[in-house]
Every structure is written in structure tokens, then in C-alpha cells.
Amino acid sequence: MFKKILIANRGEIALRIIRTCKEMGIKTVAVYSTADAESLHVKFADEAVCIGPPPSKDSYLKMSSIIAAAEITNADAIHPGYGFLSENAKFSRICVEHDIKFIGASGDMIDKMGDKANAKTTMIEAGVPCVPGSEGVIETFEDCVKTAKETGYPVMLKASAGGGGKGMRAVWKAEDLRDAWDSARQESRAAFGNDDMYMEKLIEEPRHIEIQIIGDSTGKACHLSERDCSVQRRHQKLTEETPSPFMTDELREKMGEAAVKASEYIKYEGAGTVEFLVDKHRNFFFMEMNTRIQVEHPITEQVVDYDLIREQIRVAAGIPISGKNYYPKLHAIECRINAEDPYHGFRPSPGRITTLHAPGGHGVRLDTHVYAGYMIPPNYDSMIAKLITTAQTREEAISKMKRALDEFIIEGVKTTIPFHRQLMDHPDYVAGNYTTKFMEDFVMEKNVSTI
Ligand code: MV4
């Protein structure tokens, strides 16, 4: 087992990893930029190394500084968390070269799953349901026209280097295909330096339901059931829940089996997430596979009573998983609390938190790194807390979330708390009747607190 783990991340996920390391008796090293000198992960870690100025490219993305910090503190492993270098194949390989265990996927695995068209081809070989469409990357516009005709409109053009919606275009009729092809490739080139495109039949009003998996060094994998992440705004998840209100026991079995089959086929090691699109007839299709721990992992932990970070560390240390699958015994909802103003287009609202009252009580979990007096730096993403409620039923989890949101006082910056509070009263949300289209029609009601 590792003696000392360097956490190459910041904010709530850095704290989350440090907490599990402490429970496992593993020493921790925090790395921080000068903007995070007063951050909690720095205070909670056993050691802390400043790795540079605020810009991510000069600190949390600076591989040489992070490796140097691991060398001088003699860390034997690095946990990358999510975002930053967590799915950077080059960094994964550099850790191997420096004989530091990367608690994440191998460089080859990251490359394999990061190439979305290639990942899909692999899943088809594995017998995992995929959306009909092109076989791999489309080489020319002529092939694009031909594939669209064979697939049948509407189709979705997607960037192979993509994810999160960049370089993606829905095309409803043939005359729009040329412009979509050109603009999608342009956007993909700009975002990823690669314009490989693939095509799928467009799934209308899908749900985004993902399956948590864990694979070990013996090639065995298990699943820990689903998370419904359909409530998204501009491809940013806002709230997630498990079990999915759209799930049936039969669908859970089939999706779990598909996710395990996919993981074992590619001999996946570590924590991963297989994302699916689910249509209104409950047909499910492979969308992407993420080779990292995800922001929303706590709702799974809450309902199956399992520490995913602990299992990540154990698997990385070569300890086999038990092999059984895990099913929800409770219901959990996560609300991502961002320092953004929901009354003004969710624009970022960095600054100093002057007052903070954290919610608590039975079934309330708050994963956060902020505190009264904390200065939220403008350099990083705007998520400042994850509020998770767990109860026997969905109705009780919603009721608990409403109570916890009402208790959650943050002053000095705008936050998305009012958005989540309104969401918990929205009839379609309360009825579990929502898809990835839900946020397109959502309107914030008048800000009563300032009238
Ligand atoms: C799709 C789709 C409909 N049909 N693929 C969005 C980003 C990336 N994860 C894939 N996405 C989609 N792929 C086909 N064939 C609709 C989406 C989509 C979406 C998917 C999940 C969660 C939110 C979404 C918001 C818009 C579009």
C-alpha cells in the first residue's frame, strides 16, 4: 500500500481524497497555486508544495512542477482527481517513467477512450449497444453525405476528439449538412487541434444515464449502478440523482451488464464511468467512457455505502475488487453549488465569502472546501460545494434537499442555491419527468429576496 499520495488537484475533490487517505493511514501532499495558499486542502494535508502562480497552465496543469513536488516529498503515488490532468495520457505516462503510481487510467487507456470514434468501434466489438451511424471517422464530405443518407435524418455529427458537446451538430435535413460539417470541424480544430468527425442517428430528447464501474488489475470489473445526469445547462451538469427516476430493475440489469462487459473487454483498471444515452422507449446506447472519478461520485457512495476513492487507491495498489455488483438501497440527490448568478445567465461571481452557514442533519452531506472569509479565486471553475441529500425515497430526498438549501447561507458572492431551490419545486422535476432538454425551457422566477 502507498505510504504517501500527492493530490494533483484543488478544491473539494482534493479535500475528499485527503480525507480518505487519512482514514487509510496514508500521508498526503497537497499542491497549490499562490491563489490557493489559504485553501482548506493545503491546511488538511500533511505536507503542501506551492507549484506556481494562479493560472492553471502554470500550476495545476504544469506537469514538471507536479512531478517535482512528488519527487521532493517522496510521494509514491499521485491522485489527479477530476479535470486538470486526470485524463491526460502524457501525464499518466510521465508518472510511470518516474516510478510514481498514477491513480487513474494508463496512457494507452486514456488515448483509447478519449478518441470517441475509436471508443465506439471498440464498444461495438465488445457487444455494447451503440447508436447506429458511421463506422469510425468519416474521411470526406462525400462519405458524410452517403452516411447521412444510410443513417437517415436527423443525424448528429460529433468530434472524435470531443466530448461535452464541442464540435457537435444536430442535422435535420440534407441541405444543412455542408454547413454543419464545416462548422463542426472548425470548432473541433479550434478546441482540440483535431477535426476527425463521426456520425450517429440523432436520439431525440435522450436522458443521460451513466453507470459507475470499478475494474481491477486481474481484469475483473463490477458496476455500482446508475446516476441520472440529464439536468444539464450547456453541457454542464447541475444536479444528479440515483436511482434514476426513469430506471427499471430490468433496464438497470441490462445497462450494468453492458458497462461491466465494456470494462472487462478493454481490461479497464480503476474507477470509470460508462455514459449512455437512453431514449423514451428505454433503449440505451453507449455515448462515452470517462477514465476518472467524477464530480457526482458521492451520490453513488451514499446509496450503496461504498468509498469510491478508497477503492481507487486499493485497486491502484493491486488489491483485487470483491467482484459483486452494487445496487441502490436509498435515494440520493446532488446539487452542484456554483459561485454563479442564476438571475443573470449563470455568470461567474467570484469574490470573498463573508457569511457561510452550512446545512446539516440526518442524510445531509456537504462536500466543500469553502468557509466564511474564503476568497473564491476567478482562475478556476465556479463550483464551490456539492450538497448531497440521502433518504429512503426520492420524495424524502427532495424534501431534505429543500430544507438543506433553505439552511445553506452564503453571502458575499452570488450562488446557484436559488436555482436549485426552485428546481426542487418544479413539477416536472418532482415527477421525475425530465430529459436533457429540461433546462432549455427552465426560467428563473423573480428574485423575491431582493424585491
Ligand atoms: C447525442 C445526443 C443525441 N443523439 N448523440 C452531448 C455531449 C456529448 N456527451 C454527447 N451529447 C449528446 N449526444 C446522439 N446520437 C444528444 C446529446 C446531448 C446531451 C447528451 C447528454 C447530456 C446532455 C446533452 C445535451 C445536449 C445534447
Side-chain angles (χ1 to χ4, degrees), residues 27-195:
K27 292 290 181 200
T28 54
V29 178
V31 291
Y32 63 98
S33 74
T34 49
D36 282 335
E38 298 308 312
S39 187
L40 279 192
H41 76 283
V42 174
K43 299 177 193 297
F44 277 39
D46 297 300
E47 296 173 73
V49 179
C50 183
I51 50 170
S56 296
K57 68 176 174 49
D58 301 324
S59 52
Y60 298 103
L61 290 174
K62 194 135 192 284
M63 300 185 209
S64 55
S65 302
I66 292 168
I67 293 294
E71 301 280 13
I72 61 173
T73 57
N74 204 21
D76 42 4
I78 290 177
H79 196 309
Y82 50 68
F84 293 130
L85 298 170
S86 64
E87 294 183 298
N88 184 303
K90 180 181 172 195
F91 185 66
S92 180
R93 293 188 176 103
I94 287 174
C95 289
V96 171
E97 287 161 18
H98 286 78
D99 196 22
I100 299 168
K101 181 67 182 170
F102 180 72
I103 301 177
S106 68
D108 290 349
M109 187 60 72
I110 292 171
D111 281 339
K112 200 173 162 86
M113 291 299 110
D115 174 336
K116 306 300 177 192
N118 179 303
K120 199 175 158 183
T121 303
T122 304
M123 293 304 155
I124 292 169
E125 289 165 12
V128 173
C130 288
V131 186
S134 64
E135 280 162 31
V137 169
I138 298 172
E139 295 303 332
T140 66
F141 180 63
E142 289 62 35
D143 290 346
C144 182
V145 173
K146 184 167 169 289
T147 306
K149 206 169 287 174
E150 288 161 359
T151 305
Y153 289 93
V155 295
M156 188 71 98
L157 269 179
K158 293 184 166 182
S160 193
K166 273 203 168 55
M168 189 177 78
R169 293 291 184 282
V171 185
W172 295 83
K173 45 191 193 302
E175 56 258 40
D176 299 335
L177 191 60
R178 177 85 237 191
D179 285 352
W181 168 259
D182 292 338
S183 64
R185 292 176 74 218
Q186 169 56 37
E187 185 179 320
S188 181
R189 242 190 317 271
F192 314 113
N194 173 303
D195 59 8

Side-chain angles (χ1 to χ4, degrees), residues 227-282:
R227 294 185 290 259
D228 194 319
C229 307
S230 303
V231 180
Q232 301 191 14
R233 179 176 183 278
R234 297 182 183 175
H235 304 294
Q236 295 298 315
K237 295 170 182 172
L238 299 173
T239 180
E240 306 94 348
E241 68 176 304
T242 180
S244 164
F246 194 60
M247 191 55 75
T248 64
D249 289 348
E250 182 200 359
L251 180 59
R252 178 177 294 115
E253 273 309 316
K254 290 199 291 187
M255 291 180 75
E257 182 204 343
V260 168
K261 189 157 64 166
S263 309
E264 293 188 340
Y265 183 80
I266 61 177
K267 295 188 175 24
Y268 187 75
E269 283 188 38
T273 297
V274 186
E275 292 185 347
F276 294 98
L277 289 170
V278 183
D279 72 12
K280 59 189 171 199
H281 307 299
R282 289 192 171 84

